[in-house]
Amino acid sequence: MSGRLAGKAALVVGAAGKDNMAQVIARRFAAEGAKVVVAGRNRAILDTLAEEIGGIAVECDFTDRVSIFAMVETTREALGGIDIAVNATGWGLLKPFLETTDDDFDRMYALQLRGPFQFAQALIPVMQDKGGSIIQVTSATASIMFHDHSAYMATKAGTDHMLRTIANEFGHLGIRVNSISPGVTETPMTAEAAAVPGLMDAFAKGYPLGRYGTSQDIAAGCVWLASDECFMTGETMQVNGGLTLRGNPTKDAIEASVAAAMTQQG
Amino acid sequence: MGRLTGKVAVILGASDARSMGAATARRFVEEGAQVVLAARRKEAVEEIAAELGGIGVACDIADEASLAALAQTALEHYGHLDIAVNYAGQSAQASVLDVTAESLRSQSDIHFVGTALFIKHMAKAMTGGGSIITASSLTVLVQAPDLGAYAGSKGGADVYVRVAANELGARGIRVNSIAPGFTKSAMTEDYFGIEAVTNAFLKEMPLGRFPTVEDVANTALWLASDEAFVTGQRIDVTAGQALRRTPRADEFV
């Protein structure tokens, strides 16, 4: 098998949504020659993807320690080891800060900060003999602002920094740990927002390259981080067309853009 | 089909076979690019270029006319320019108390003014979009004594890269830098001869080995290819040393 990930064993978590970011990453990894385990919460969707790419489906609840460790163990047994592990789970909660409940925050923390922590704890013993690449999908909003997104952004930023500590402590085992930061990305999750006239126009102006991202962009970044060609660790790679140079629109700017589009249509 | 098939790349700072520039040129050619290699030493760069089927050009980054001519040479020979990589650099050492205005200006001319004018002339020649890459440094990320002029001018260039990325995005041009760590190359060969220095540095590298010019070349390849939706960024090739520190001189034992 040729390809930039030929012979590699890869685990991609968060792939239980049709055509979501993790699915696109898994397809690209398979196309580059990797053996791929896809994981997430919806068995039927995972099975369809696994069949398509010749991979294996494993159910996992990323808020549950036992489930995460079982997923990693199942993957190790199925593939004979793990060279590459990607976590692309997430919960895009938008809620005003003063209305965000402790329960919201706890759920966010469990998925977006404790999950990556437990995932790394499960992976390091598996990767310690041969090395490996751990990739966490975080977010441009870990470093730039967006309104009504505090719990999401705080846990993503926490994960970025936690990854640096893991990179620092386990680099000598050949384990590289990095995160990749998308901005607004065309995915099934954002399709609804994209259908609101004027909404995405407000975001597009924040991208120096003139377009927002696609899951293919993120998958390409993951291939680079996963491949033996990459000698980077402890970094947050911004794969968002320069969004962090400009920033997201304010709430007012988005509302104005939508209102203008509505008027034009009306 | 290579990852850079059909692309034309200018690489400045490629006069030594052990350099990052030469390693990048080899990697780019493997992936199908045509290369224009440049350096101050014309004969040396012509020899490396000839081995790779490219062309060699004399260029001094401190001379704007010479940068403009470099871009023109690429256009005249190959008809377009898609990728431009700048590794031109020179290390100068002086403590903050001893540094001279002359040294500060000369370091700025090479690393800050030179990088800015390299971006200017390469971007003007990139009529169909492109990728510009310039060398930053570990010294921007963790402080090293006596390298104020070097690190300061490199750090200034990184800020300039962000401004350039923001402005040039509309033309489809991406601008990024690569921050190599303590890499064995033509420039650092003397340091690598001193075991006390290499031992002390190695302890500060989480990945447990020195970055190589091939690592830097592979990073340049990622940023150069159309796959990288990345602009205005500094990509780290320090073996994780940016997470730690520069060893002190008293640790060179």
Side-chain angles (χ1 to χ4, degrees):
Chain A
M1 189 79 186
S2 64
R4 288 162 62 191
L5 304 178
K8 299 283 187 193
L11 167 59
V12 180
V13 193
K18 191 174 179 313
D19 298 331
N20 71 6
M21 193 180 283
Q23 290 217 340
V24 174
I25 294 166
R27 286 191 186 107
R28 180 71 200 274
F29 278 9
E32 293 290 349
K35 295 175 290 178
V36 186
V37 165
V38 291
R41 281 184 303 185
N42 186 317
R43 184 84 211 187
I45 293 174
L46 292 170
D47 280 340
T48 305
L49 176 65
E51 192 174 339
E52 176 197 329
I53 65 173
I56 297 163
V58 176
E59 270 178 83
C60 177
D61 174 358
F62 213 71
T63 64
D64 179 69
R65 182 180 189 89
V66 172
S67 180
I68 289 171
F69 273 72
M71 166 186 68
V72 167
E73 181 54 21
T74 305
T75 304
R76 187 191 65 77
E77 280 175 16
L79 303 181
I82 302 175
D83 303 303
I84 302 158
V86 181
N87 172 35
T89 62
W91 179 35
L93 177 69
L94 287 171
K95 210 172 195 183
F97 179 75
L98 292 177
E99 293 167 25
T100 302
T101 64
D102 283 357
D103 183 54
D104 290 332
F105 200 89
D106 287 346
R107 286 175 60 199
M108 190 65 81
Y109 155 77
L111 180 68
Q112 294 204 159
L113 184 53
R114 194 183 66 195
F117 158 76
Q118 294 169 338
F119 191 42
Q121 282 197 334
L123 287 165
I124 284 159
V126 176
M127 289 182 164
Q128 66 180 353
D129 293 333
K130 283 169 51 196
S133 174
I134 300 175
I135 302 163
Q136 170 70 48
V137 179
T138 57
S139 169
T141 63
S143 54
I144 60 169
M145 288 302 110
F146 193 58
H147 59 83
D148 298 345
H149 213 27
S150 57
Y152 178 93
M153 289 161 64
T155 50
K156 289 287 191 187
T159 296
D160 277 345
H161 202 53
M162 178 177 67
L163 294 183
R164 286 191 269 278
T165 71
I166 302 166
N168 184 38
E169 290 177 36
F170 298 98
H172 65 287
L173 301 174
I175 300 173
R176 294 184 297 105
V177 190
N178 296 285
S179 55
I180 186 166
S181 293
V184 173
T185 307
E186 289 178 46
T187 64
M189 198 173 87
T190 58
E192 200 178 322
V196 178
L199 185 69
M200 295 304 256
D201 297 341
F203 286 95
K205 289 172 187 152
Y207 291 76
L209 290 179
R211 67 167 177 92
Y212 36 83
T214 64
S215 294
Q216 283 76 14
D217 297 325
I218 302 305
C222 286
V223 170
W224 152 248
L225 289 171
S227 77
D228 290 335
E229 282 194 348
C230 178
F231 192 56
M232 182 163 94
T233 199
E235 289 289 304
T236 296
M237 187 166 71
Q238 304 291 337
V239 182
N240 47 49
L243 170 64
T244 54
L245 307 172
R246 292 194 182 170
N248 282 312
T250 59
K251 199 171 187 170
D252 289 350
I254 294 170
E255 282 167 2
S257 178
V258 172
M262 293 290 194
T263 308
Q264 220 166 25
Q265 276 198 338
Chain B
M1 187 80 177
R3 286 157 66 191
L4 301 180
T5 297
K7 303 282 188 191
V8 175
V10 159
I11 301 169
L12 176 58
S15 63
D16 189 298
R18 300 158 300 172
S19 66
M20 294 172 186
T24 300
R26 289 191 291 269
R27 191 73 187 89
F28 280 15
V29 168
E30 272 175 17
E31 294 292 343
Q34 290 173 298
V35 293
V36 178
L37 306 188
R40 280 182 301 177
R41 293 189 292 138
K42 187 163 194 279
E43 279 180 23
V45 77
E46 276 179 339
E47 195 178 313
I48 290 173
E51 285 170 18
L52 294 169
I55 55 174
V57 180
C59 178
D60 179 356
I61 194 166
D63 171 16
E64 181 170 8
S66 146
L67 290 167
L70 173 59
Q72 279 312 306
T73 303
L75 292 181
E76 279 161 21
H77 274 76
Y78 295 116
H80 54 107
L81 178 63
D82 311 292
I83 301 160
V85 190
N86 167 38
Y87 293 116
Q90 198 169 50
S91 150
Q93 297 201 19
S95 77
V96 166
L97 297 179
D98 295 330
V99 76
T100 61
E102 189 187 12
S103 166
L104 286 162
R105 290 200 182 98
S106 143
Q107 286 286 292
S108 296
D109 275 348
I110 296 167
H111 301 131
F112 180 73
V113 180
T115 300
L117 296 176
F118 179 83
I119 293 170
K120 171 183 170 180
H121 289 287
M122 298 305 140
K124 281 185 165 184
M126 290 179 172
T127 49
S131 173
I132 301 174
I133 301 160
T134 188
S136 176
S137 165
L138 171 67
T139 60
V140 171
L141 299 161
V142 287
Q143 276 57 60
D146 300 342
L147 285 174
Y150 181 83
S153 53
K154 286 277 191 185
D158 277 349
V159 174
Y160 199 89
V161 159
R162 296 173 66 80
V163 174
N166 190 29
E167 283 187 32
L168 296 174
R171 299 165 70 105
I173 298 171
R174 297 179 295 102
V175 190
N176 295 286
S177 68
I178 296 176
F182 191 43
T183 308
K184 191 171 182 179
S185 69
M187 193 172 92
T188 58
E189 198 172 41
D190 290 349
Y191 294 107
F192 272 85
I194 310 167
E195 208 177 318
V197 171
T198 55
N199 283 344
F201 267 86
L202 202 51
K203 285 179 189 161
E204 305 300 342
M205 293 180 188
L207 290 180
R209 71 160 173 86
F210 294 99
T212 64
V213 293
E214 286 77 20
D215 295 324
V216 175
N218 282 328
T219 307
L221 170 61
W222 153 243
L223 289 173
S225 77
D226 288 336
E227 279 201 335
F229 190 53
V230 177
T231 196
Q233 303 303 312
R234 176 179 51 226
I235 303 294
D236 183 286
V237 197
T238 69
Q241 191 175 350
L243 301 167
R244 296 187 183 173
R245 65 195 182 109
T246 304
R248 298 186 310 272
D250 63 83
E251 294 169 307
F252 295 158
V253 288

